[in-house]
Amino acid sequence: YKRLFGYFLQGLLILAPIAITFWAIASVFGFIDGILPNMVHAIFPALMEDEHGHIRSIPGVGFVLVITLVLLVGYISSSFIFTKIVEVFDRVLQKTPGIKFIYSTLKDFFEAFAGEKKKFTNNVLANVDDNDVWRIGFITQDDMVEFGFKDYVAVYVPMSYSVAGNVYIIPKNRVKPITNISAAQTMKFAVSGGVTDVLEPA
């Protein structure tokens, strides 16, 4: 029984990461692929319904069109006219009560990862609790004077096995930069609970 249990655990260690990865990819594919049919159905319900009242869709078409649209927007985003149009929408959304909070929060979140204002690039060790215990984090603000703190920084500390995290405002002298590994490797190490080997093989 011990040997069978050992085989089971070994098989689980091999199959679980593969299965979860494919499940995540399939879930994302299904979500994106369903955007277009659902949008068209909301506007023209009779056009997208079959004889049984179900939404008609061709697998893969919605995914390709959505990805193509995103790529097209990214391609033309540098044009002068498109930039001005986006700026107008941005100003309107930034000034609309209620929508302003949601829009600005989401915009800052995505820009922190992929925009020109990338925030999770300054990886550090943070002495949050003022003892000899250090937390892995990322400096998101270099100056906290607006909060009444001089020589303080804001450090985002991610949680293991989660997309959540905490923000700490601590003195600059209790922060050590991480220089021997990249920000991506640091995030990978923190989110994995410290079990990932961050050092590249020689």
Side-chain angles (χ1 to χ4, degrees), residues 25-39 48 55-67:
I25 294 173
S27 298
V28 172
F29 179 89
F31 171 75
I32 297 177
D33 196 44
I35 292 176
L36 185 66
N38 290 329
M39 289 179 59
M48 294 300 298
I55 299 177
R56 186 186 295 110
S57 64
I58 303 175
V61 174
F63 180 85
V64 172
L65 290 178
V66 170
I67 296 300

Side-chain angles (χ1 to χ4, degrees), residues 3-120:
R3 182 174 295 180
L4 288 176
F5 184 68
Y7 290 154
F8 175 80
L9 289 180
Q10 187 65 28
L12 188 64
L13 289 174
I14 295 173
L15 292 177
I18 298 174
I20 293 173
T21 299
F22 277 101
W23 171 81
I25 294 173
S27 298
V28 172
F29 179 89
F31 171 75
I32 297 177
D33 196 44
I35 292 176
L36 185 66
N38 290 329
M39 289 179 59
V40 177
H41 179 262
I43 303 173
F44 306 105
L47 182 65
M48 294 300 298
E49 290 182 357
D50 58 18
E51 61 273 12
H52 302 292
H54 300 140
I55 299 177
R56 186 186 295 110
S57 64
I58 303 175
V61 174
F63 180 85
V64 172
L65 290 178
V66 170
I67 296 300
T68 303
L69 176 62
V70 173
L71 290 173
L72 180 62
V73 171
Y75 175 73
I76 66 175
S77 61
S78 59
S79 67
F80 177 79
I81 297 177
F82 187 84
T83 301
K84 292 301 178 183
I85 294 174
V86 172
E87 288 178 357
V88 171
F89 276 102
D90 184 73
R91 283 196 297 267
V92 172
L93 293 174
Q94 290 279 15
K95 294 180 179 179
T96 305
I99 297 178
K100 173 184 176 181
F101 175 77
I102 300 173
Y103 173 74
S104 60
T105 302
L106 289 174
K107 181 181 178 183
D108 291 341
F109 175 79
F110 281 102
E111 285 188 344
F113 282 97
E116 296 178 356
K117 302 177 182 178
K118 287 183 180 179
K119 293 293 184 180
F120 301 113

Side-chain angles (χ1 to χ4, degrees), residues 142-153 170-172:
D142 294 315
D143 192 348
M144 298 304 297
V145 174
E146 294 181 356
F147 286 80
F149 294 100
K150 184 180 180 181
D151 295 327
Y152 275 65
V153 294
I170 60 176
K172 292 182 179 180

Side-chain angles (χ1 to χ4, degrees), residues 125-136:
L125 293 172
N127 188 211
V128 175
D129 304 307
D130 196 19
N131 52 35
D132 203 25
V133 177
W134 296 81
R135 302 187 189 218
I136 296 174

